[in-house]
Every structure is written in C-alpha cells, then in structure tokens.
Amino acid sequence: MVLKTVADLKKMADEVILLDYWPSMFGMRTKMALAEKGVSYEYIETDPWIKTPLLIEMNPIHKKIPVLIHKGKPICESLIQLEYIDEVWSGTYPMLPSDPYQKAQARFWADFIDKKFYDPSWKVWGTNGEEQVAAKKELLEHFKTLETELGDKTYYGGEVFGFLDIALMGYYSWFKAMEKFGEFSIETEFPKLTEWTKRCLERESVVKALTDSDKILEYAYVLRKKFGAE
C-alpha cells in the first residue's frame, strides 16, 4: 500500500508510518526501536533531496526524514522518536533507564553523538584536503571519547541494549565509508568499541534495520561527486 496524501494518513486510526530513506542513519535508529518494541509499521521510501508534499506537510519546519507518523500525527527527529516509541509502547522492552540520573546520562551522550560526532562523521568521507584532515582528527577523538564512556560495560547502559546503543548503532552502516576515506581502522584503533558493535549485531532488530555497508560506500562515492569532493 502506498500512501500519498495527508488525508490518507488521518483515516488510519492507530497505524504507524515511517517516512525514511534507505541510507539514513537516523532512520535506522527508528527502525531498530520499532523492532525492539515489536511495532508493525508502513514504510514509505522518501528521498530527502526531493521535498514531496507529504514530507513538507509532515515536517514543515525541517523538511527532513525520518518522520514517524502515529495516529495521523508526525513525530520528527530520531532521538525524539526513540523516546516517543519508548513511552507509547512502554509495556515491552524499555529502552531508557528508569533511574533519572542514568536516563539523563543516556540523553546527554545521545546528544553528544548528534552534536559532536555527526559533523566530522560525514566530512571525513564527504570532503577532501585540509577539511577532511581536520574532520578525521576530530572524528577519531570522538570515537575515543565514546569508547572511554563504554569502558568494560556490555552495552552503554550496562547489561541491557538500549537507547544510547541504538543512537550510535544507527551510524554503523556508515563506519566503512568513514574508514575508507579517512584511512583508519575502527577495529585496530578502538577494540572495545568493535566488540560492542559485534554484540549489537547479534540482535535481529539491529541487523534488519541496518543498510549494507558496501551499498552505503557506493552511495558515499555518489555524494562525494555531488559535494565536489572527487
């Protein structure tokens, strides 16, 4: 079924819709969360470079994906979507800790990922020259910070896969492109982080949400040309 109008969405009482684009690390997060909760949803492939009427109507401020639509109402921004999913489907698999301090820490580090990690994570494959060199230096520092925060824990929240794990694993499909163009190895430089990714990849919710890394690498080449980095 393909939905094309807002009117269609409003007729669907409790349906869950996800407007997303296959390479989006943010959409991969939301798909993981929905899978962990066992929530069925309608997926609508939405190219963010093409501002469709539905995307503009559902996310008029940023006009970006992913957009989670529940009961005809849009929820934008992936980290906000994770919290929404956790609260609405609270009866199964809590993703955020119940302890207020631990919950605050999870939110802090998720915010760190999007405010500090995101920018160099794309510049390392999407730029060249001095800008790329600076991005690589910054990215490696952030990887080290995230590995230090993980420490010897099984997952970021302790023994349970949760909110912060999903926030960072959304980027996993892009790791290969970062390594390729940044000329570094996550496995060599960040062994604890590597073992953490392996544990996360044992979860069906994670594997099904992620896009193949080779396909992402091919897309990175396309974007490099688009950005004038080739």
Side-chain angles (χ1 to χ4, degrees):
M1 177 176 62
V2 178
L3 300 174
K4 297 182 179 180
T5 69
V6 178
D8 291 329
L9 299 177
K10 290 181 178 178
K11 292 176 183 176
M12 305 178 70
D14 293 322
E15 290 288 338
V16 179
I17 317 291
L18 181 62
L19 308 185
D20 188 29
Y21 192 46
W22 63 269
S24 171
M25 68 278 288
F26 305 115
M28 292 182 218
R29 289 172 168 173
T30 305
K31 287 186 280 190
M32 286 180 208
L34 290 168
E36 287 291 343
K37 294 287 188 173
V39 179
S40 299
Y41 61 95
E42 178 77 19
Y43 178 87
I44 302 179
E45 183 77 358
T46 306
D47 188 336
W49 301 99
I50 302 171
K51 307 303 182 184
T52 65
L54 182 56
L55 178 59
I56 293 171
E57 181 73 22
M58 291 289 103
N59 190 357
I61 304 301
H62 297 299
K63 303 176 182 64
K64 294 179 179 180
I65 51 88
V67 180
L68 180 69
I69 304 167
H70 184 216
K71 299 182 179 180
K73 298 177 181 179
I75 302 94
C76 303
E77 302 297 321
S78 62
L79 293 181
I80 295 173
Q81 290 166 8
L82 297 192
E83 293 207 42
Y84 180 86
I85 291 167
D86 203 30
E87 290 182 17
V88 172
W89 291 279
S90 58
T92 58
Y93 200 87
M95 295 185 295
L96 273 165
S98 57
D99 178 78
Y101 177 76
Q102 292 178 357
K103 186 180 296 184
Q105 288 299 297
R107 287 170 171 156
F108 172 86
W109 285 107
D111 185 67
F112 171 87
I113 290 168
D114 281 359
K115 287 184 177 176
K116 295 290 188 180
F117 185 82
Y118 171 72
D119 203 45
S121 79
W122 77 261
K123 285 184 177 178
V124 78
W125 58 259
T127 64
N128 54 27
E130 292 182 3
E131 188 175 13
Q132 185 186 41
V133 172
K136 176 184 175 180
K137 181 176 183 295
E138 185 180 354
L139 180 63
L140 293 178
E141 289 174 354
H142 293 332
F143 266 124
K144 184 61 178 176
T145 298
L146 289 166
E147 183 172 68
T148 300
E149 172 59 21
L150 176 64
D152 295 321
K153 300 191 293 288
T154 303
Y155 297 108
Y156 275 96
E159 294 301 315
V160 180
F161 177 82
F163 181 81
L164 187 51
D165 302 292
I166 292 173
L168 184 53
M169 275 303 288
Y171 284 80
Y172 178 80
S173 294
W174 285 90
F175 281 5
K176 189 170 186 176
M178 296 176 203
E179 292 175 303
K180 169 69 177 177
F181 295 106
E183 298 182 340
F184 67 92
S185 167
I186 293 173
E187 184 172 9
T188 300
E189 300 198 36
F190 309 107
K192 288 185 178 180
L193 204 59
T194 298
E195 290 305 310
W196 166 80
T197 62
K198 291 178 181 178
R199 288 191 290 273
C200 292
L201 289 169
E202 293 175 358
R203 304 185 72 84
E204 184 179 6
S205 63
V206 174
V207 174
K208 287 189 174 182
L210 293 173
T211 300
D212 180 75
S213 295
D214 289 326
K215 189 176 179 182
I216 291 291
L217 182 59
E218 292 175 6
Y219 185 61
Y221 275 108
V222 172
L223 289 181
R224 279 179 63 82
K225 291 180 180 178
K226 186 181 183 73
F227 298 160
E230 284 289 301

